[in-house]
Amino acid sequence: SRLVLRDLSPEQGGTYHCKASTEAGAIRSAPAQLTVLAQDQQSCNPAPEPSLVELPRECPQDAAGSHYYNVGRCPPAPCAGSSGDQSGCGADVGQCCGVRRMEMREIPCAGFLLPIKVVAECGCGPCAQPRVLVQGRVTAADTGEPLRFGQIFLGGKKVGFTGYKGSFTIEVPPDTQRLVARFVDRQQRFVDAVKVLPFNRRGGAIYQEVKMLRKKEPVELDGSQSNAILLGEANGREPVGELILPAGTFLRPSGEVFKGKVKASITFLDPRDMATASAASSDLSFANAEGEIVPLRTYGMFSVDFREGESGAELQTGPVEVRMDAGQVWMPEHLQKMKLWSLNPETGLWEEEGILRLAGGRRRKREERTFLVGNLEIRERRLFNLDVPEDRRCFVKVRAYSSEKFNPYDQLEGVVISLINLEPQPGYPSNPRAWGRFDSVVTGPNGACLPAFCDGQRPDAYSAYVTATLGGEELEAVASSPKLNPNAVGVSQPYLGKLGYRRLDHDDPNLKKTAFQINVAKPDPNNVDETNGPIYPYRSLEECEEAPVSANHFRFYRVEVDKYEYNVVPFKESDLTSWTGDYLSWWPNPQEFRACFIKVRIEGPQEYMVRSRNTGGSHPRTRGQLYGLRDSRSVRDMLLENTSGACVEFKCSGMLFDQSLVDRTLVSIIPQGSCRRTAVNSLLQEYLSRHPPVAENNHTAAFTMLAPVDPLGHNYGIYTVTDQNPRLAKEIAIGRCFDGTSDGFSREMKADTGTAVPFTCQER
């Protein structure tokens, strides 16, 4: 179907959505933004927007010592179609705002001129179409065992398998709004995992760890007798409820009653166990009567698998009774709203099966109990849920940074921020009673807004546990002890005190620093201290998403050794649409990114910065011209005295963006200090001599080579990884370089393994 709007005026611009309704229910589309331009208004402003890049430390730009320079950018917005274009929108014909013209400038630095290309003019052109990927691993939640060769489904269609180590890659189909993937263990050891996976619409790969719940060992039941199975009785806890199976309830798919021996496996996911949150399926959402996707708060999920005792054939059931202990519901208002739900594995949405109603109790251990009772029929293998629709919702603003300097220009995109809603123990906010739901959002250029349950009356009615990962690497949260610094956390007082911010290691320094917990206190609109974030009312999503960096927000940052990257042609690795086709582009192909690193060993009493200078080596269009600089500080080897190692990126040799000629990049490796090269890896030396031309190495304070075209490996001290995500390619290559192997990974430097060039440095 197609919607055509004619004779529009600028005031009709805004946010629109479509709604489809049938007798079975309703669903809304994702919102779409309509921009209506006046007759003489341009959809792509030729003047570029400001965009700052950091220059080398030898290139201060003013008396204050600023190292930032405005290179400009063109926002990759769709261009409007012409008046004669039947489609009406440039998106259909692939026209987007982009770089039309760049110009070269030279920046005076200490002892040299630094070339830099800046955007001079924007204009409409073909849209960049980077691949959108989700990569990751699927493992068992209890043991970490990989799901080997498991099936992957998108909707009802099988799209692939996991690898031997549980790894997977999913290419996100165009126009996907909600990516629902189902992972199936063909050996039936695990419950099917239905995951709503976050992805970066701007292109590149997002990394996700998927956890699967191991099926509970089956028990034998007599199909001719009534049976009761407890839900959530493990680890000495009181059961959440029970499943009552009347005599004669088991059915073959033909409808024939089965009264023989039944093997029953009931796997319960208990939200009172914090470790189960990562293994929960879906994102706990359902479509209400208006078609709006709204959240649920869970009290437990269970998967059922009934099979004939001898043949192992699957069985269905007639009406069975689900009884939930009302004493496990700590919020009294939830007793009236509790429902039974089942998960649609294709949409990832929960569908209502029935209402749980208060019924008379029965005695157990001399105690009268009241139960919530509901009924269902099990006709297919689905996951079931004891849930409450919750309308007390807010958004939490979180940003991720490349360092703890929290520079607004150094925000990280493509970081997966995850929030788990907790129900605190009264009086013990750091000891939650249970988790209720979870959400994951990918950071964009302005951070991320995560949905969360909140309360305006009791600040600690709901709390949240927040983490951040980038390519499998956990980012660090801002410390809350020994002294809480509101400027570092990013939230001003007194609201910060009301939110009760605590990093995971607040009371125990041995715990990890990669998560924080807060009370999700709904902001009071009459209190000026609570109207500037980081918590926003649910109807203020746009305000949250567009909030300036000066507004209150929570922060994560990356902990890594000192490093610096400079590209003559600016490119933001988290936004693949910012790639520009130019002979001096560091990455010549926006669909595939090849990262190259060289390992340097340094004998010396301290850690040293090591620079790679990368210029054109053999291509006639770039010979002698700078591609970029890379600085990396060496990391001490904990086992070797006065020895450190550095993994330094260099520009890979290969085709340039026009894919016509290979360039052998001329790479110079220069430790910053009083250093002397003592040797060169013999295999690398032999390779370079057999692949002329050979670069001169007359200067003993540096190492120069025309970079190899072949990927080589750890025996040469060269580490090369290709991936659709530049950051992931670099992370994998660095891990191998630290480890000194071609297939391993380490965060601890092994300076004497897999090294290309050793230097000896004196203390300055």
Side-chain angles (χ1 to χ4, degrees), residues 744-755:
F745 190 92
S746 177
R747 286 290 180 194
E748 293 185 4
M749 176 58 72
K750 301 172 184 177
D752 62 342
T753 306
T755 301

Side-chain angles (χ1 to χ4, degrees), residues 55-61 67 106-115 564 566 611 629:
L55 300 177
R57 60 182 181 276
E58 307 98 311
C59 308
Q61 290 304 289
H67 289 80
E106 289 187 329
I107 298 172
C109 300
F112 65 98
L113 292 174
L114 181 73
Y564 169 74
Y566 172 76
R611 168 168 290 181
L629 306 172

Side-chain angles (χ1 to χ4, degrees), residues 175-186:
D175 302 322
T176 297
Q177 298 297 330
R178 180 179 159 89
L179 182 65
V180 180
R182 179 162 58 104
F183 299 89
V184 178
D185 176 21
R186 294 188 293 175

